[in-house]
Amino acid sequence: MQLLDGKLTANKIKKQLKLEVEMLKEKYNRVPHLAIVLVGEVEASHIYVRNKIKACQFVGMDVTLIQKDNTITTQDLKTLIHNLNNDDNIDGIIVQLPLPKHIDEQQIINVINSNKDVDGFGIENKGKLFSGLPCLKSATPYGIIKLLEEYNIDCVGKNAVVVGRSNIVGKPMSIMLLDKHATVTICHSKTKNLQEITKQADILVVAIGRAKFITKDMVKQGAVVIDVGMNRDENGLCGDVDFEDVKEIVGYITPVPGGVGPLTITMLLNNTIEAFKSKFKEA
Ligand SMILES: NC(=O)c1ccc[n+]([C@@H]2O[C@H](COP(=O)([O-])OP(=O)(O)OC[C@H]3O[C@@H](n4cnc5c(N)ncnc54)[C@H](OP(=O)(O)O)[C@@H]3O)[C@@H](O)[C@H]2O)c1
């Protein structure tokens, strides 16, 4: 079994991005600038945002955090995003999810100008992804593609099974694997005989949010297993795959933590740089 080291790969990409930011600064006399909108007091969101800010600072990008309390109205949040859309000094905008229950997340995300939608969650970028057009791609699946490339894992003609069909991971992941010429099956909570399907997977991506759900009886010998899950059990942070159970039979696997997570943030930085460059028609 070989570990797919997301941390190592992310650090390598971040060093390249740092150099790119330095070059852009020399050329344009300013650096890409990410605005992060954080609503409410969800502890995990504050941790994710702190890590995003640190990563921006590492590559030398500007980052502005805008914090609002969870009583903010949908209208006020929309106005805030409109202002960021119209601010020439801001190249990328993300709204940290989840938002408070009274706010419709997709409605808010769709307000972000598609050229600044560096999470790639808005319908315009998703539609472009689906249509095979250049776009800002959802950071988590994009990071997984980068990880597969880093380890020279060829997807052409492979059976790829994606478990989970969320808008931010499962669905865009399936399209990106399809673009890599894999034969893709998408599974979800209503899938019948899940184990029979996952056992056929040469590449198995699991994004369901169920601790240690995938066990060795569900995995093909030698498979490439990508564990997106971030769960907490009695022993701390763990993935959707039972790592200890499957590690002897898989070919490659991402650890949790240190697998997909670090790449998600890195691809967010990458997207912000892409958004900056496309403004200057450099992309
Ligand atoms: N590492 C990272 O950077 C990163 C980024 C994003 C998410 N995550 C983690 O990835 C996990 C998934 O996140 P998400 O946002 O994609 O989750 P989500 O929106 O909750 O979607 C979960 C998906 O899993 C499916 N599912 C749930 N239980 C299942 C089961 N028993 N069998 C088959 N499918 C099942 C659901 O099916 P239905 O559609 O039928 O309900 C749904 O499509 C979470 O642990 C999250 O924390 C990690």
Side-chain angles (χ1 to χ4, degrees):
M1 177 271 288
Q2 188 176 351
L3 269 188
L4 296 172
D5 192 330
K7 207 168 166 186
L8 201 75
T9 307
N11 285 339
K12 188 174 158 188
I13 299 173
K14 275 194 286 187
K15 282 184 190 146
Q16 291 161 359
L17 297 178
K18 192 173 175 9
L19 288 177
E20 195 168 4
V21 169
E22 280 166 16
M23 284 187 320
L24 291 170
K25 186 174 180 181
E26 241 170 62
K27 189 164 180 186
Y28 297 108
N29 204 24
R30 88 168 183 83
V31 294
H33 188 170
L34 175 68
I36 304 177
V37 179
L38 175 60
V39 180
E41 294 304 328
V42 177
E43 199 195 329
S45 295
H46 281 253
I47 295 171
Y48 291 140
V49 165
R50 259 204 311 276
N51 290 337
K52 287 171 187 176
I53 292 171
K54 263 199 243 163
C56 287
Q57 289 164 342
F58 175 82
V59 300
M61 276 170 35
D62 283 339
V63 56
T64 298
L65 172 64
I66 300 142
Q67 273 185 270
K68 296 286 167 190
D69 68 41
N70 61 7
T71 55
I72 190 168
T73 63
T74 297
Q75 194 46 54
D76 285 350
L77 199 49
K78 280 184 176 175
T79 305
L80 170 65
I81 293 169
H82 279 303
N83 291 339
L84 293 170
N85 283 341
N86 294 330
D87 185 339
D88 278 344
N89 281 315
I90 299 290
D91 306 295
I93 304 167
I94 61 165
V95 177
Q96 183 65 42
L97 302 179
L99 290 172
K101 294 236 173 320
H102 67 278
I103 297 176
D104 180 338
E105 286 182 352
Q106 194 62 54
Q107 209 187 98
I108 293 299
I109 282 159
N110 288 337
V111 177
I112 301 173
N113 180 316
S114 64
N115 298 321
K116 296 189 179 189
D117 168 28
V118 288
D119 261 336
F121 292 167
I123 48 170
E124 193 171 329
N125 279 309
K126 283 196 285 203
K128 284 180 175 167
L129 177 70
F130 200 90
S131 309
L133 296 170
C135 63
L136 291 164
K137 298 185 177 120
S138 299
T140 301
Y142 194 15
I144 292 170
I145 293 293
K146 289 283 172 199
L147 192 60
L148 294 174
E149 285 173 357
E150 176 67 19
Y151 284 84
N152 296 315
I153 294 168
D154 186 14
C155 298
V156 179
K158 300 278 170 62
N159 273 339
V161 174
V162 179
V163 190
R165 56 174 164 181
S166 70
N167 283 329
I168 63 170
V169 187
K171 282 182 197 163
M173 184 78 259
S174 337
I175 302 295
M176 289 182 210
L177 286 166
L178 196 60
D179 286 345
K180 286 273 184 190
H181 310 293
T183 303
V184 183
T185 307
I186 309 171
C187 301
H188 46 80
S189 69
K190 307 287 188 291
T191 297
K192 294 206 167 64
N193 306 323
L194 181 67
Q195 179 187 359
E196 275 173 31
I197 301 169
T198 55
K199 269 212 99 125
Q200 301 296 320
D202 302 309
I203 299 169
L204 178 63
V205 182
V206 191
I208 58 176
R210 302 267 182 280
K212 300 180 182 167
F213 181 86
I214 299 286
T215 45
K216 71 170 176 232
D217 51 319
M218 304 174 82
V219 177
K220 182 179 176 179
Q221 181 91 36
V224 177
V225 177
I226 308 290
D227 188 354
V228 186
M230 295 238 274
N231 314 290
R232 285 204 175 269
D233 73 355
E234 59 287 355
N235 302 316
L237 197 62
C238 69
D240 290 342
V241 177
D242 188 339
F243 185 93
E244 288 304 315
D245 195 45
V246 306
K247 70 177 184 196
E248 299 307 337
I249 68 158
V250 299
Y252 295 85
I253 187 166
T254 55
V256 177
V260 174
L263 281 158
T264 296
I265 296 188
T266 304
M267 297 325 288
L268 172 69
L269 305 179
N270 176 81
N271 284 351
T272 307
I273 293 170
E274 288 306 310
F276 176 91
K277 289 195 305 189
S278 67
K279 206 147 96 177
F280 296 99
K281 305 267 181 290
E282 264 226 14

